[in-house]
């Protein structure tokens, strides 16, 4: 079955430090993968997507993610975190019929 | 940038009552979705809708749920007789075509008393 796993429930980083949020997927074929961000009381905003081609994808707000088939991973990275990045981050994969299968989310806290 | 809009932002309803959650997808989008997120849990797929009919529905989407596109702009989710466990954030999403990323609304927080 298609599934997406985010192993870290909470992560705390210092402002200005680098960030990596982990995502693992279980899909038969090449997956379509996404990262969304949710600020408190807000909806889900698309950060970036991977469909095919270049395995390093750039997104909005300075985020990037790398698709690694050998590790079944699609980790989200940012070189320098800002306090405004504090939010919950969801990795998702496209399932049958275009529905999204979400991971459990990772809550990012940024300390000054 | 065009947005998916959802109303109301918060709905409080007595158990057993009917509730209708409304969504206005992006105007040229053709595929529509409802998801829900129970507090502290992951976002779960409920139903997808294309060409005026349900494409796929999850186990959660039982006979108490229905969706409708009553006109050219609105997409609604109805829960016929609400239960306490229906309390959640409900998200609407839409896409223009099958290989496009989904655009989400800000959600409706449904609280069942």
């Amino acid at each position: 079955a298609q599934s997406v796993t985010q192993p870290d429930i909470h992560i705390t980083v210092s402002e200005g430090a680098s960030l990596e949020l982990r995502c693992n997927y279980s899909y038969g074929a090449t997956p379509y993968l996404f990262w969304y961000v949710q600020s408190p009381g807000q909806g889900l905003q698309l950060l970036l997507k991977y469909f095919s081609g270049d395995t390093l994808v750039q997104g909005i707000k300075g985020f990037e993610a790398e698709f690694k088939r050998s590790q079944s991973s699609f980790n989200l990275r940012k070189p320098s975190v800002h306090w405004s990045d504090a939010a919950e981050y969801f990795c998702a994969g496209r399932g049958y019929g275009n529905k999204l299968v979400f991971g459990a989310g990772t809550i990012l806290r940024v300390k000054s | 940038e065009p947005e998916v809009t959802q109303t109301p932002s918060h709905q409080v309803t007595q158990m057993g009552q009917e509730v209708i959650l409304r969504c206005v997808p992006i105007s040229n989008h053709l595929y529509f979705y409802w998801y829900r997120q129970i507090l502290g849990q992951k976002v779960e797929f409920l139903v997808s809708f294309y060409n005026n009919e349900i494409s796929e529905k999850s186990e959660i989407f039982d006979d108490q749920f229905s969706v409708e596109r009553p006109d050219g702009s609105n997409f609604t989710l109805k829960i016929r007789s609400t239960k306490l466990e229906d309390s959640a954030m409900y998200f609407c999403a839409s896409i223009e075509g099958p290989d496009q990323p989904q655009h989400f609304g800000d959600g409706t927080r449904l609280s069942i008393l």
Side-chain angles (χ1 to χ4, degrees), chain B residues 43-55:
Chain B
V43 179
E44 303 171 287
F45 167 77
L46 289 178
V47 65
S48 58
F49 191 88
Y50 170 70
N51 202 25
N52 284 321
E53 60 183 23
I54 290 174
S55 310

Side-chain angles (χ1 to χ4, degrees), chain A residues 33-107:
Chain A
L33 297 166
F34 309 85
W35 276 98
Y36 285 86
V37 61
Q38 184 183 30
S39 297
Q42 301 295 311
L44 296 160
Q45 182 183 23
L46 178 69
L47 286 176
L48 48 77
K49 63 183 186 290
Y50 172 76
F51 282 3
S52 64
D54 196 345
T55 56
L56 184 64
V57 292
Q58 302 297 320
I60 62 171
K61 304 185 180 188
F63 286 93
E64 66 178 27
E66 187 170 12
F67 172 70
K68 292 185 177 180
R69 184 186 299 277
S70 61
Q71 299 177 18
S72 297
S73 69
F74 186 58
N75 294 347
L76 182 71
R77 301 195 294 245
K78 186 170 185 178
S80 178
V81 167
H82 188 262
W83 64 266
S84 60
D85 292 325
E88 188 161 16
Y89 292 79
F90 292 93
C91 182
R94 195 187 77 171
Y96 299 118
N98 292 310
K99 69 181 180 188
L100 291 180
V101 176
F102 283 86
T106 298
I107 296 173

Side-chain angles (χ1 to χ4, degrees), chain B:
Chain B
E1 184 177 329
E3 292 182 343
V4 175
T5 57
Q6 291 185 243
T7 56
S9 56
H10 192 190
Q11 174 81 44
V12 181
T13 302
Q14 292 289 329
M15 185 173 59
Q17 296 296 306
E18 175 184 284
V19 66
I20 297 176
L21 309 183
R22 291 182 166 79
C23 170
V24 179
I26 296 173
S27 62
N28 62 335
H29 285 193
L30 301 175
Y31 299 76
F32 314 111
Y33 304 83
W34 282 101
Y35 294 82
R36 80 171 184 190
Q37 183 183 28
I38 294 172
L39 187 64
Q41 298 185 23
K42 62 171 68 176
V43 179
E44 303 171 287
F45 167 77
L46 289 178
V47 65
S48 58
F49 191 88
Y50 170 70
N51 202 25
N52 284 321
E53 60 183 23
I54 290 174
S55 310
E56 185 181 357
K57 57 185 180 180
S58 71
E59 294 173 350
I60 304 166
F61 195 89
D62 61 22
D63 291 344
Q64 294 299 313
F65 290 86
S66 62
V67 289
E68 193 177 32
R69 191 156 161 81
D71 52 43
S73 59
N74 290 284
F75 178 51
T76 62
L77 174 69
K78 182 193 292 186
I79 308 175
R80 197 180 348 266
S81 177
T82 50
K83 303 186 282 285
L84 293 175
E85 54 265 37
D86 293 327
S87 295
M89 181 76 91
Y90 288 80
F91 291 105
C92 173
S94 68
I95 57 172
E96 184 178 0
D99 289 339
Q100 300 298 313
Q102 294 185 18
H103 295 258
F104 284 81
D106 283 345
T108 293
R109 180 167 298 284
L110 178 62
S111 299
I112 307 300
L113 305 179

